[in-house]
Short mmCIF file of all heavy atoms in Angstrom, two decimals:
data_model
loop_
_atom_site.label_atom_id
_atom_site.label_comp_id
_atom_site.label_asym_id
_atom_site.label_seq_id
_atom_site.Cartn_x
_atom_site.Cartn_y
_atom_site.Cartn_z
N ARG A 1 67.34 160.85 32.55
CA ARG A 1 68.29 160.47 33.61
C ARG A 1 67.61 159.77 34.77
O ARG A 1 68.10 158.77 35.30
CB ARG A 1 69.02 161.73 34.10
CG ARG A 1 70.08 161.47 35.14
CD ARG A 1 70.82 162.76 35.51
NE ARG A 1 69.94 163.76 36.10
CZ ARG A 1 69.62 164.91 35.52
NH1 ARG A 1 70.08 165.21 34.31
NH2 ARG A 1 68.82 165.78 36.13
N GLU A 2 66.44 160.28 35.20
CA GLU A 2 65.75 159.72 36.35
C GLU A 2 65.35 158.27 36.12
O GLU A 2 65.40 157.45 37.04
CB GLU A 2 64.51 160.55 36.66
CG GLU A 2 64.78 161.85 37.40
CD GLU A 2 65.47 161.61 38.74
OE1 GLU A 2 65.00 160.74 39.50
OE2 GLU A 2 66.48 162.29 39.01
N ALA A 3 64.96 157.94 34.90
CA ALA A 3 64.59 156.55 34.59
C ALA A 3 65.80 155.69 34.26
O ALA A 3 65.67 154.49 34.02
CB ALA A 3 63.59 156.51 33.43
N MET A 4 67.00 156.31 34.24
CA MET A 4 68.24 155.60 33.92
C MET A 4 68.09 154.81 32.62
O MET A 4 68.42 153.62 32.52
CB MET A 4 68.66 154.68 35.07
CG MET A 4 69.00 155.44 36.34
SD MET A 4 69.63 154.42 37.69
CE MET A 4 71.20 153.87 37.02
N VAL A 5 67.58 155.52 31.59
CA VAL A 5 67.35 154.90 30.29
C VAL A 5 68.68 154.64 29.58
O VAL A 5 69.55 155.51 29.53
CB VAL A 5 66.46 155.80 29.41
CG1 VAL A 5 66.37 155.27 27.99
CG2 VAL A 5 65.07 155.93 30.03
N ASP A 6 68.84 153.45 29.04
CA ASP A 6 69.97 153.13 28.17
C ASP A 6 69.54 153.36 26.73
O ASP A 6 68.65 152.66 26.22
CB ASP A 6 70.41 151.68 28.34
CG ASP A 6 71.14 151.42 29.64
OD1 ASP A 6 71.67 152.40 30.21
OD2 ASP A 6 71.18 150.27 30.07
N LEU A 7 70.15 154.33 26.06
CA LEU A 7 69.87 154.59 24.64
C LEU A 7 70.92 153.86 23.82
O LEU A 7 72.11 154.19 23.89
CB LEU A 7 69.90 156.09 24.36
CG LEU A 7 69.63 156.53 22.92
CD1 LEU A 7 68.28 156.02 22.44
CD2 LEU A 7 69.70 158.05 22.81
N LEU A 8 70.49 152.86 23.06
CA LEU A 8 71.39 151.96 22.36
C LEU A 8 71.22 152.10 20.85
O LEU A 8 70.13 151.86 20.32
CB LEU A 8 71.11 150.51 22.77
CG LEU A 8 71.15 150.20 24.26
CD1 LEU A 8 70.65 148.79 24.52
CD2 LEU A 8 72.56 150.38 24.81
N GLY A 9 72.28 152.49 20.17
CA GLY A 9 72.24 152.52 18.71
C GLY A 9 72.40 151.12 18.15
O GLY A 9 73.02 150.24 18.76
N TYR A 10 71.83 150.91 16.96
CA TYR A 10 71.94 149.59 16.34
C TYR A 10 71.95 149.71 14.81
O TYR A 10 71.16 150.44 14.23
CB TYR A 10 70.77 148.68 16.73
CG TYR A 10 70.80 147.36 15.97
CD1 TYR A 10 71.53 146.30 16.46
CD2 TYR A 10 70.17 147.22 14.74
CE1 TYR A 10 71.62 145.11 15.76
CE2 TYR A 10 70.24 146.03 14.03
CZ TYR A 10 70.98 144.98 14.54
OH TYR A 10 71.07 143.81 13.82
N THR A 11 72.86 148.98 14.18
CA THR A 11 72.83 148.73 12.74
C THR A 11 73.45 147.36 12.49
O THR A 11 74.49 147.03 13.08
CB THR A 11 73.56 149.82 11.95
OG1 THR A 11 73.52 149.51 10.56
CG2 THR A 11 75.01 149.96 12.38
N THR A 12 72.81 146.56 11.67
CA THR A 12 73.25 145.17 11.49
C THR A 12 74.65 145.08 10.91
O THR A 12 75.39 144.14 11.21
CB THR A 12 72.25 144.42 10.59
OG1 THR A 12 70.94 144.49 11.18
CG2 THR A 12 72.63 142.95 10.44
N ARG A 13 75.05 146.05 10.10
CA ARG A 13 76.36 145.94 9.45
C ARG A 13 77.52 145.98 10.44
O ARG A 13 78.65 145.64 10.07
CB ARG A 13 76.53 147.01 8.36
CG ARG A 13 76.67 148.42 8.84
CD ARG A 13 76.88 149.37 7.64
NE ARG A 13 77.04 150.75 8.04
CZ ARG A 13 76.05 151.60 8.23
NH1 ARG A 13 74.80 151.18 8.06
NH2 ARG A 13 76.28 152.84 8.58
N HIS A 14 77.28 146.41 11.68
CA HIS A 14 78.35 146.43 12.68
C HIS A 14 78.25 145.27 13.67
O HIS A 14 79.03 145.21 14.63
CB HIS A 14 78.33 147.75 13.44
CG HIS A 14 78.69 148.94 12.59
ND1 HIS A 14 79.68 148.92 11.65
CD2 HIS A 14 78.16 150.20 12.54
CE1 HIS A 14 79.77 150.09 11.05
NE2 HIS A 14 78.84 150.88 11.57
N VAL A 15 77.32 144.36 13.46
CA VAL A 15 77.18 143.19 14.34
C VAL A 15 78.16 142.12 13.88
O VAL A 15 78.29 141.86 12.67
CB VAL A 15 75.73 142.65 14.29
CG1 VAL A 15 75.59 141.43 15.19
CG2 VAL A 15 74.75 143.74 14.70
N PRO A 16 78.87 141.45 14.80
CA PRO A 16 79.78 140.38 14.39
C PRO A 16 79.08 139.33 13.53
O PRO A 16 77.93 138.97 13.78
CB PRO A 16 80.26 139.79 15.73
CG PRO A 16 80.10 140.92 16.70
CD PRO A 16 78.89 141.68 16.26
N GLN A 17 79.79 138.83 12.52
CA GLN A 17 79.18 137.93 11.56
C GLN A 17 78.67 136.65 12.19
O GLN A 17 77.63 136.11 11.78
CB GLN A 17 80.18 137.59 10.44
CG GLN A 17 79.61 136.76 9.29
CD GLN A 17 78.53 137.48 8.51
OE1 GLN A 17 78.34 138.69 8.67
NE2 GLN A 17 77.82 136.76 7.65
N ASP A 18 79.35 136.15 13.21
CA ASP A 18 78.88 134.93 13.85
C ASP A 18 77.57 135.17 14.59
O ASP A 18 76.71 134.28 14.66
CB ASP A 18 79.94 134.36 14.81
CG ASP A 18 80.25 135.29 15.97
OD1 ASP A 18 80.40 136.51 15.74
OD2 ASP A 18 80.36 134.80 17.12
N VAL A 19 77.37 136.39 15.12
CA VAL A 19 76.11 136.73 15.78
C VAL A 19 74.99 136.82 14.76
O VAL A 19 73.88 136.35 14.99
CB VAL A 19 76.26 138.06 16.56
CG1 VAL A 19 74.92 138.49 17.14
CG2 VAL A 19 77.30 137.92 17.66
N VAL A 20 75.28 137.43 13.61
CA VAL A 20 74.28 137.53 12.54
C VAL A 20 73.89 136.13 12.05
O VAL A 20 72.70 135.83 11.88
CB VAL A 20 74.80 138.38 11.37
CG1 VAL A 20 73.77 138.42 10.23
CG2 VAL A 20 75.10 139.81 11.84
N ALA A 21 74.87 135.28 11.84
CA ALA A 21 74.59 133.92 11.35
C ALA A 21 73.74 133.14 12.34
O ALA A 21 72.80 132.43 11.96
CB ALA A 21 75.91 133.19 11.08
N ARG A 22 74.06 133.26 13.62
CA ARG A 22 73.27 132.58 14.64
C ARG A 22 71.86 133.15 14.71
O ARG A 22 70.88 132.40 14.82
CB ARG A 22 73.96 132.70 16.00
CG ARG A 22 73.28 131.91 17.11
CD ARG A 22 74.17 131.80 18.34
NE ARG A 22 74.47 133.10 18.92
CZ ARG A 22 75.69 133.68 18.89
NH1 ARG A 22 76.69 133.08 18.28
NH2 ARG A 22 75.88 134.86 19.45
N GLY A 23 71.73 134.47 14.60
CA GLY A 23 70.42 135.09 14.59
C GLY A 23 69.58 134.65 13.41
O GLY A 23 68.38 134.38 13.54
N TRP A 24 70.20 134.55 12.23
CA TRP A 24 69.50 134.07 11.03
C TRP A 24 68.98 132.66 11.23
O TRP A 24 67.82 132.35 10.93
CB TRP A 24 70.44 134.12 9.82
CG TRP A 24 69.93 133.37 8.63
CD1 TRP A 24 70.28 132.10 8.25
CD2 TRP A 24 68.95 133.82 7.68
NE1 TRP A 24 69.59 131.75 7.12
CE2 TRP A 24 68.77 132.78 6.75
CE3 TRP A 24 68.23 134.99 7.53
CZ2 TRP A 24 67.88 132.88 5.67
CZ3 TRP A 24 67.34 135.10 6.46
CH2 TRP A 24 67.18 134.06 5.55
N ALA A 25 69.81 131.78 11.76
CA ALA A 25 69.41 130.40 11.97
C ALA A 25 68.25 130.30 12.96
O ALA A 25 67.28 129.55 12.74
CB ALA A 25 70.60 129.57 12.46
N GLU A 26 68.31 131.07 14.03
CA GLU A 26 67.24 131.04 15.03
C GLU A 26 65.94 131.62 14.46
O GLU A 26 64.86 131.04 14.62
CB GLU A 26 67.67 131.82 16.27
CG GLU A 26 68.81 131.16 17.03
CD GLU A 26 69.41 132.06 18.10
OE1 GLU A 26 69.13 133.28 18.08
OE2 GLU A 26 70.17 131.55 18.94
N LEU A 27 66.04 132.77 13.81
CA LEU A 27 64.87 133.44 13.28
C LEU A 27 64.18 132.61 12.21
O LEU A 27 62.95 132.44 12.23
CB LEU A 27 65.28 134.81 12.72
CG LEU A 27 64.20 135.72 12.16
CD1 LEU A 27 63.14 136.03 13.20
CD2 LEU A 27 64.84 137.01 11.64
N THR A 28 64.94 132.08 11.28
CA THR A 28 64.33 131.27 10.22
C THR A 28 63.79 129.95 10.76
O THR A 28 62.81 129.42 10.23
CB THR A 28 65.34 131.00 9.09
OG1 THR A 28 66.53 130.40 9.63
CG2 THR A 28 65.70 132.29 8.37
N GLY A 29 64.41 129.45 11.82
CA GLY A 29 63.87 128.24 12.44
C GLY A 29 62.49 128.47 13.02
O GLY A 29 61.58 127.66 12.84
N HIS A 30 62.31 129.60 13.70
CA HIS A 30 61.00 129.93 14.25
C HIS A 30 59.97 130.16 13.14
O HIS A 30 58.81 129.75 13.27
CB HIS A 30 61.10 131.17 15.14
CG HIS A 30 61.81 130.94 16.44
ND1 HIS A 30 61.38 130.02 17.37
CD2 HIS A 30 62.94 131.50 16.95
CE1 HIS A 30 62.19 130.03 18.41
NE2 HIS A 30 63.15 130.91 18.17
N ALA A 31 60.39 130.80 12.06
CA ALA A 31 59.47 131.04 10.94
C ALA A 31 59.08 129.73 10.27
O ALA A 31 57.91 129.53 9.90
CB ALA A 31 60.12 131.99 9.94
N THR A 32 60.03 128.83 10.11
CA THR A 32 59.73 127.53 9.51
C THR A 32 58.72 126.76 10.35
O THR A 32 57.86 126.04 9.83
CB THR A 32 61.03 126.71 9.35
OG1 THR A 32 61.95 127.45 8.54
CG2 THR A 32 60.75 125.37 8.68
N ASP A 33 58.79 126.93 11.66
CA ASP A 33 57.86 126.26 12.57
C ASP A 33 56.54 127.01 12.74
O ASP A 33 55.70 126.61 13.55
CB ASP A 33 58.52 126.08 13.94
CG ASP A 33 59.67 125.08 13.90
OD1 ASP A 33 59.72 124.26 12.97
OD2 ASP A 33 60.54 125.13 14.80
N GLY A 34 56.38 128.13 12.02
CA GLY A 34 55.10 128.84 12.02
C GLY A 34 54.94 129.88 13.12
O GLY A 34 53.83 130.39 13.31
N ARG A 35 56.02 130.21 13.83
CA ARG A 35 55.89 131.18 14.94
C ARG A 35 56.06 132.64 14.50
O ARG A 35 55.76 133.55 15.27
CB ARG A 35 56.90 130.83 16.04
CG ARG A 35 56.50 129.57 16.83
CD ARG A 35 57.44 129.36 18.00
NE ARG A 35 58.71 128.82 17.58
CZ ARG A 35 58.97 127.52 17.43
NH1 ARG A 35 58.02 126.63 17.68
NH2 ARG A 35 60.16 127.10 17.05
N ILE A 36 56.56 132.84 13.29
CA ILE A 36 56.73 134.19 12.76
C ILE A 36 56.23 134.21 11.32
O ILE A 36 56.65 133.38 10.50
CB ILE A 36 58.19 134.66 12.83
CG1 ILE A 36 58.63 134.80 14.30
CG2 ILE A 36 58.39 135.98 12.08
CD1 ILE A 36 60.06 135.19 14.48
N ALA A 37 55.32 135.13 11.02
CA ALA A 37 54.73 135.23 9.69
C ALA A 37 54.80 136.67 9.21
O ALA A 37 54.76 137.61 10.01
CB ALA A 37 53.29 134.75 9.71
N VAL A 38 54.88 136.84 7.89
CA VAL A 38 54.90 138.17 7.26
C VAL A 38 54.10 138.09 5.98
O VAL A 38 54.21 137.10 5.22
CB VAL A 38 56.35 138.62 6.93
CG1 VAL A 38 56.35 140.00 6.28
CG2 VAL A 38 57.22 138.62 8.17
N GLU A 39 53.29 139.10 5.72
CA GLU A 39 52.59 139.18 4.44
C GLU A 39 53.59 139.57 3.36
O GLU A 39 54.32 140.54 3.51
CB GLU A 39 51.47 140.21 4.49
CG GLU A 39 50.28 139.80 5.34
CD GLU A 39 49.14 140.80 5.20
OE1 GLU A 39 48.56 140.89 4.10
OE2 GLU A 39 48.85 141.48 6.19
N VAL A 40 53.60 138.79 2.27
CA VAL A 40 54.54 139.03 1.18
C VAL A 40 53.75 139.34 -0.08
O VAL A 40 52.79 138.64 -0.41
CB VAL A 40 55.45 137.80 0.95
CG1 VAL A 40 56.36 138.03 -0.25
CG2 VAL A 40 56.27 137.50 2.20
N GLU A 41 54.16 140.40 -0.78
CA GLU A 41 53.53 140.77 -2.05
C GLU A 41 54.56 140.61 -3.16
O GLU A 41 55.60 141.27 -3.15
CB GLU A 41 53.03 142.21 -1.98
CG GLU A 41 52.27 142.65 -3.22
CD GLU A 41 51.68 144.03 -3.08
OE1 GLU A 41 51.22 144.38 -1.96
OE2 GLU A 41 51.69 144.79 -4.07
#
């Protein structure tokens, strides 16, 4: 309470589809430009 913390639940299945689509486009754009990398096996 003293820090006035906001505890926010999150699950992608409840995010509006247009928000998910925009997030996908932004995220994959950054990855295509080399700003986000992940090791894949």
Side-chain angles (χ1 to χ4, degrees):
R1 183 176 62 247
E2 282 300 312
M4 296 185 67
V5 172
D6 286 339
L7 180 57
L8 306 171
Y10 174 87
T11 179
T12 302
R13 70 178 181 273
H14 293 320
V15 179
Q17 186 64 12
D18 63 316
V19 174
V20 177
R22 185 167 62 250
W24 167 262
E26 293 168 346
L27 182 58
T28 55
H30 289 300
T32 302
D33 292 339
R35 287 186 283 273
I36 294 177
V38 180
E39 289 187 67
V40 177
E41 184 175 323

